[in-house]
Amino acid sequence: MSDDLFKKVTSHAKEYGFVFQSSEIYDGLSAVYDYGQNGVELKNNLREYWWKAMVQMNENIVGLDSAIFMHPKVWKASGHVDGFSDPMIDNKDSKKRYRADQLIEDQVARLEKKGKQDAAAALEEAMNVALNDNNLQALRDLILEQEIACPISGTRNWTEVRQFNLMFSTQMGSVADDADEVYLRPETAQGIFVNFLNVQKTGRMKIPFGIAQVGKAFRNEIIARQFIMRMREFEQMEMQFFVKPGTEMEWFEHWKETRMKWHLSLGADPANYRFHEHVKLAHYANAAVDIEFNFPFGFKEVEGIHSRTDFDLKQHQEFSGKKLQVFDTESNTNYIPYVIETSIGLDRLFLLTMCNAYREEEVPAGDKTETRTVLALPPQLAPIKVAVLPLTKKDGLPEKAREIMNNLMISYRCHFEEKDTIGKRYRRHDAIGTPLCITVDHESLSDNTVTIRHRDSMQQERVPIEKLEEIVENIVSMKSLFK
Ligand code: GAP
């Protein structure tokens, strides 16, 4: 995959109503995006597939929808107020701000490209040591030693390295003086931790069990790039699985395999996925792995699976003064459960799905060939499942097509189109990934049959109208993804 493909995917996403820059008429808001008429459908379908796989298909996992605002102490307890920051450095000439580790990582990639593998490995190692020790001076020294220049000004006139907290804050309360500083949550996970006992007691849940939720998260990312890969407002789909201490590694392996299988069920080439084990672990984790996908700009994290020990519940127990424990009938003791977390970014999953689906193909057109652009999305995820197309606008064909549309739209997102030639209409639906086009022609009036055209093979078949629902169901139902 290449940069060229990435450019094509981003412009396709805009041209066909998948993703728009936020506030575009005001020149946009950096690293914030809106999902258009097709994007919102694809995003809803991805969310639904995740929810079904995690909540509906697991008897011991339940859902939650916690608020974005939480008590400020939550973020003190979780470590985000003191520790959720990135090491930043400014170039004094361009006045641009960079993440120090990102500048060094780019240099590592340059060395690797030049075939200097040993130097690249040594630099990466030195950076990891500096990050682990929170040694900001050492990070700056590496930037100077490597003579890393600002990509904008081209100079090496750098400030000191400083830590910048990534949380957005605002004021809550009617009178400015009395208002409390509250944060926009940087992860959905803490809403699960603080509701752990509420759910466990009211749902009579027994360990091991999980709580899943989907929702917005906010991070003041300094370097926001690669389209919807790194955003300031994004959506996470997270699940915290509460287990007995000592069993966490078994569950970690279980969720690692289960989540990879889920990704592969969407049909991408397995060679485009890999696990990346964390060498440098967060202070709360005793194991962590990323699921990475081969984006056009290289392998990048889509999902993290973390063994978070009892860190979060213990912290909230201490800061709130409320016991967050369960009773173990075997040993007759109370304990704080350990947690395995699966955390996937919905926007990254969306980007992965678009990159994976985008194709340009040479196809026959009469006695010549032409290029068609097709989004080969898994049919179950397609924004529009069925396009209903009367061949002409007269002779009662639109009325017949409407009858079919009215019946199918109860179960599936359908689209009725009568403008332009049938070929043009097929191409438009190829470009947004519609798996099935139903054409109603004059024969349909006399024998109650229609033509179904399949997006990927472009094969057409004649079928009775009464069979349509069954045929569509077999192709687009999420049931098939679970078989
Ligand atoms: N609760 C754990 C947690 O938040 P994370 O690795 O920081 O872990 C989890 O985030 C996932 O959220 C990532 O794998 C990624 O898919 C997504 N994510 C994180 N930051 C993001 C951003 N700025 N823009 C889009 N997605 C992001």
Side-chain angles (χ1 to χ4, degrees):
M1 288 197 250
S2 66
D3 271 1
D4 189 36
L5 168 65
F6 189 51
K7 278 198 198 114
K8 285 180 176 168
V9 169
T10 49
S11 53
H12 191 85
K14 179 173 177 200
E15 194 181 337
Y16 286 92
F18 284 86
V19 181
F20 306 124
Q21 173 86 58
S22 161
S23 325
E24 199 189 66
I25 58 168
Y26 292 98
D27 294 335
L29 184 64
S30 167
V32 185
Y33 292 89
D34 299 335
Y35 287 83
Q37 70 279 14
N38 289 318
V40 66
E41 299 283 351
L42 174 57
K43 201 175 173 204
N44 283 346
N45 294 338
L46 286 165
R47 196 190 288 110
E48 184 185 341
Y49 180 45
W50 182 86
W51 191 266
K52 278 188 195 293
M54 299 302 279
V55 181
Q56 187 173 318
M57 299 297 285
N58 285 292
E59 286 175 44
N60 59 352
I61 298 183
V62 291
L64 178 77
D65 182 14
S66 69
I68 287 172
F69 288 131
M70 300 178 76
H71 195 288
K73 273 196 193 165
V74 167
W75 305 110
K76 194 77 191 149
S78 68
H80 284 83
V81 170
D82 298 319
F84 192 55
S85 50
D86 278 340
M88 309 302 302
I89 191 166
D90 293 13
N91 182 270
K92 291 181 191 166
D93 298 317
S94 67
K95 311 268 184 264
K96 287 276 171 207
R97 181 163 290 167
Y98 300 91
R99 254 175 67 180
D101 55 334
Q102 202 79 63
L103 282 178
I104 300 171
E105 265 176 19
D106 291 348
Q107 173 72 357
V108 169
R110 278 193 291 275
L111 290 170
E112 276 171 351
K113 224 175 179 177
K114 286 186 194 158
K116 297 182 177 174
Q117 310 303 341
D118 289 351
L123 178 58
E124 196 165 25
E125 170 69 20
M127 177 188 74
N128 284 336
V129 171
L131 286 172
N132 252 341
D133 299 346
N134 200 16
N135 188 340
L136 303 182
Q137 184 57 47
L139 284 176
R140 183 168 192 269
D141 290 346
L142 287 175
I143 290 170
L144 297 182
E145 273 163 36
Q146 293 288 323
E147 301 188 341
I148 297 173
C150 166
I152 307 287
S153 67
T155 70
R156 302 186 186 96
N157 195 5
W158 296 110
T159 61
E160 297 303 307
V161 177
R162 283 169 294 165
Q163 291 286 9
F164 276 83
N165 197 294
L166 297 181
M167 280 196 296
F168 285 100
S169 65
T170 186
Q171 306 295 315
M172 186 178 266
S174 50
V175 188
D177 290 348
D178 286 349
D180 275 326
E181 186 177 33
V182 289
Y183 299 100
L184 295 179
R185 65 181 178 199
E187 62 171 11
T188 62
Q190 297 304 323
I192 296 180
F193 290 125
V194 300
N195 278 295
F196 159 70
L197 266 196
N198 283 339
V199 173
Q200 191 263 328
K201 285 191 172 148
T202 58
R204 294 183 295 129
M205 307 300 291
K206 298 244 173 331
I207 299 275
F209 76 92
I211 305 177
Q213 87 163 320
V214 181
K216 289 279 178 123
F218 304 83
R219 296 183 189 178
N220 195 3
E221 300 281 2
I222 306 299
I223 298 149
R225 55 180 176 187
Q226 288 156 341
F227 194 37
I228 55 172
M229 188 71 192
R230 194 169 290 284
M231 303 157 86
R232 297 205 166 102
E233 173 180 339
F234 58 101
E235 204 162 331
Q236 287 186 319
M237 306 195 286
E238 299 200 295
M239 192 275 300
Q240 312 294 323
F241 199 72
F242 300 91
V243 305
K244 205 170 166 180
T247 65
E248 72 273 17
M249 289 322 289
E250 261 167 63
W251 285 110
F252 178 72
E253 288 305 322
H254 167 83
W255 283 111
K256 192 176 146 185
E257 298 314 319
T258 305
R259 292 304 304 146
M260 183 59 104
K261 269 193 201 146
W262 183 87
H263 283 276
L264 295 178
S265 71
L266 288 171
D269 180 355
N272 281 330
Y273 288 92
R274 72 180 187 196
F275 286 119
H276 170 79
E277 307 275 346
H278 287 212
V279 188
K280 177 181 168 253
L281 291 172
H283 56 285
Y284 53 75
N286 66 1
V289 70
D290 294 335
I291 294 178
E292 293 186 338
F293 178 75
N294 192 11
F295 286 94
F297 39 83
F299 274 97
K300 295 280 176 224
E301 172 188 349
V302 185
E303 173 158 5
I305 294 126
H306 313 121
S307 173
R308 291 180 79 125
T309 67
D310 58 357
F311 175 81
D312 302 270
L313 290 179
K314 213 170 168 177
Q315 288 289 102
H316 288 306
Q317 175 167 292
E318 195 185 316
F319 277 69
S320 67
K322 310 272 166 26
K323 278 212 155 45
L324 295 176
Q325 302 179 354
V326 290
F327 184 69
D328 181 25
T329 46
E330 273 171 32
S331 61
N332 272 345
T333 52
N334 288 311
Y335 69 89
I336 300 178
Y338 270 38
V339 170
I340 305 298
E341 165 183 79
T342 70
S343 174
I344 177 166
L346 179 51
D347 312 270
R348 273 190 206 179
L349 177 65
F350 184 102
L351 183 59
L352 173 167
T353 308
M354 292 287 285
C355 292
N356 215 11
Y358 184 90
R359 314 233 192 298
E360 285 173 8
E361 294 174 350
E362 283 300 305
V363 292
D367 47 5
K368 291 194 226 121
T369 62
E370 65 178 25
T371 309
R372 76 159 179 163
T373 303
V374 55
L375 271 191
L377 294 167
Q380 301 86 347
L381 300 181
I384 308 279
K385 302 291 190 281
V386 182
V388 183
L389 316 173
L391 191 61
T392 64
K393 283 191 200 170
K394 43 186 206 263
D395 304 337
L397 299 188
E399 291 74 12
K400 186 79 182 168
R402 277 273 167 220
E403 264 175 46
I404 295 172
M405 169 87 182
N406 289 345
N407 188 33
L408 288 177
M409 74 193 289
I410 301 168
S411 312
Y412 315 102
R413 184 83 177 84
C414 302
H415 193 237
F416 185 91
E417 266 211 279
E418 50 186 15
K419 203 168 166 280
D420 291 328
T421 64
I422 203 79
K424 275 194 184 153
R425 284 181 267 170
Y426 282 160
R427 287 289 175 273
R428 275 206 293 273
H429 278 282
D430 286 345
I432 62 167
T434 307
L436 298 168
C437 288
I438 294 173
T439 306
V440 177
D441 55 20
H442 292 92
E443 242 179 288
S444 310
L445 301 177
S446 54
D447 68 0
N448 268 328
T449 62
V450 287
T451 303
I452 287 197
R453 184 252 193 193
H454 296 262
R455 177 196 66 200
D456 296 342
S457 64
M458 297 193 297
Q459 294 292 318
Q460 302 189 11
E461 55 175 332
R462 197 83 198 165
V463 300
I465 291 173
E466 68 195 35
K467 286 256 173 213
L468 276 178
E469 229 176 308
E470 188 189 329
I471 296 170
V472 174
E473 176 70 10
N474 281 337
I475 294 176
V476 307
S477 163
M478 280 192 191
K479 276 185 210 160
S480 54
L481 292 172
F482 292 105
K483 278 182 186 150

